[in-house]
Amino acid sequence: MAKQASGPERNRKEPLSSVARQLWAFSGNECAWGDPHCSTRLVTEEGAWVGKIAHIIGAEPGSARHEQWDGKDVEHLRDFNNLILLCAVHHDLIDSSVARHAYTVEYLRAVKHKHEAKYRYAVENIEAEFRDTVDGSRVRPAATMRRYFTWEGVALEPSEEQEMLDLVNRFAGRVGCLTRMARQVLALVVSEGTPDFDLVRRRFSTDRQTLLSVVRELEKAEMVYLHDEEFDEDRGQLSLVSGALGGVFEMWSQFRNFCRDEDVDLKDILVGLDFSCLD
């Protein structure tokens, strides 16, 4: 454990390179500020770096929010959880002597969490993406869907339950044929309704052509459709279609509501291919 430093300019240390890379990976190349949303790119089209790393709890005595530090481990001050990646304007704003009082530790942590959560799809599953490529997608089908039927609260005949089980497992097989990124996009659309194409592109930190390829994959699988706005795909919206579910469109909302009520991560089912979560 690092010892507490003393004297001026002893607490402030440069972020570790691994922490800086993690901040960048979760940034989506945008300032983390979200109220209102700041779309300032951290790397300009010319390749200039204009982002700044800010401390949530200030490192030095007299700096913004330093009084919230417990005074124990200096290394915690440059930990990933205490740093936020901002544009120059918002970096200076939260540390300004006339404005810093308006930006508490709790507020800035919430800003950081909300922004970074949008981009974790593209980062947290790198190892799983590699595993998919090497081993192939492995679907764990539902065996009984008893948990789902109990949650639904509708009495079905055994033949009706079997029909639903067969439908879901056929769907599971089709989901298992998708690439991981397509499954991630599908999970996002099921969770959030009809997100904008450009929002999804930024969420996954990907380029337009790559996302279009994924959308075409989902369209072919009869799961997601891109509604272009006046032939401008970047301004279009992604919507669900139910061909892969035998035309039972309400199953999309059923999956979403079941996961919410039963505290199941929808990504475990649609991305991790674990349909046994329904049992």
Side-chain angles (χ1 to χ4, degrees):
M1 176 173 293
K3 296 181 179 179
Q4 180 176 350
S6 59
E9 301 301 324
R10 293 290 301 278
N11 292 345
R12 188 179 183 88
K13 298 181 180 180
E14 289 296 318
L16 296 172
S17 58
S18 58
V19 171
R21 285 195 299 271
Q22 190 178 13
L23 284 168
W24 165 251
F26 289 160
S27 74
N29 192 28
E30 282 189 350
C31 172
W33 201 256
D35 187 19
H37 172 67
C38 177
S39 59
T40 300
R41 295 292 191 261
L42 304 179
V43 175
T44 68
E45 293 182 358
E46 296 76 22
W49 170 254
V50 295
K52 288 189 174 183
I53 297 176
H55 286 77
I56 294 177
I57 295 177
E60 299 302 327
S63 61
R65 299 164 298 279
H66 177 75
E67 67 279 2
Q68 295 296 311
W69 182 42
D70 61 12
K72 296 179 180 179
D73 189 354
V74 174
E75 288 301 314
H76 287 170
L77 295 171
R78 64 170 177 172
D79 182 77
F80 172 80
N81 293 321
N82 192 49
L83 301 175
I84 183 171
L85 199 50
L86 299 167
C87 67
V89 171
H90 287 110
H91 172 277
D92 294 348
L93 175 68
I94 67 171
D95 286 350
S96 165
S97 60
V98 297
R100 64 173 64 173
H101 65 277
Y103 306 110
T104 65
V105 170
E106 293 73 21
Y107 176 80
L108 293 175
R109 283 174 176 167
V111 168
K112 170 184 171 71
H113 177 78
K114 183 177 180 180
H115 178 78
E116 292 176 350
K118 297 185 296 185
Y119 299 101
R120 289 180 181 271
Y121 283 100
V123 178
E124 292 181 336
N125 293 306
I126 292 176
E127 181 179 347
E129 182 81 62
F130 176 77
R131 193 164 54 246
D132 269 3
T133 302
V134 174
D135 299 334
S137 300
R138 298 177 179 176
V139 178
R140 182 178 296 178
T144 64
M145 288 183 59
R146 183 55 47 204
R147 183 178 182 183
Y148 174 86
F149 292 137
T150 300
W151 165 82
E152 190 176 30
V154 177
L156 298 177
E157 296 292 333
S159 61
E160 293 175 318
E161 290 187 353
Q162 186 61 49
E163 182 179 349
M164 179 63 72
L165 179 62
D166 292 342
L167 171 65
V168 168
N169 282 333
R170 284 196 300 272
F171 171 70
R174 295 181 69 168
V175 175
C177 293
L178 299 172
T179 61
R180 171 169 283 269
M181 186 171 178
R183 302 199 305 269
Q184 290 175 317
V185 171
L186 175 64
L188 178 64
V189 179
V190 174
S191 296
E192 299 193 4
T194 56
D196 292 337
F197 179 90
D198 190 55
L199 172 65
V200 176
R201 182 184 61 77
R202 288 186 284 111
R203 184 81 58 91
F204 285 89
S205 301
T206 191
D207 60 89
R208 177 178 174 275
Q209 289 303 318
T210 297
L211 182 55
L212 276 176
S213 176
V214 168
V215 171
R216 301 311 180 207
E217 180 184 357
L218 289 166
E219 287 181 335
K220 186 176 180 180
E222 300 181 279
M223 298 180 192
V224 169
Y225 179 72
L226 174 60
H227 296 272
D228 302 347
E229 183 174 321
E230 296 179 353
F231 305 101
D232 183 353
E233 290 168 321
D234 289 354
R235 297 175 60 193
Q237 290 184 313
L238 299 179
S239 300
L240 294 165
V241 293
S242 59
L245 284 165
V248 186
F249 191 84
E250 60 268 24
M251 280 300 298
W252 293 123
S253 60
Q254 290 290 82
F255 279 137
R256 179 173 58 249
N257 295 338
F258 167 83
C259 290
R260 179 198 62 205
D261 295 345
E262 293 293 308
D263 196 24
V264 173
D265 192 336
L266 181 64
K267 295 194 294 293
D268 288 344
I269 298 176
L270 296 180
V271 181
L273 302 174
D274 188 2
F275 284 79
S276 70
C277 293
L278 302 171
D279 292 338

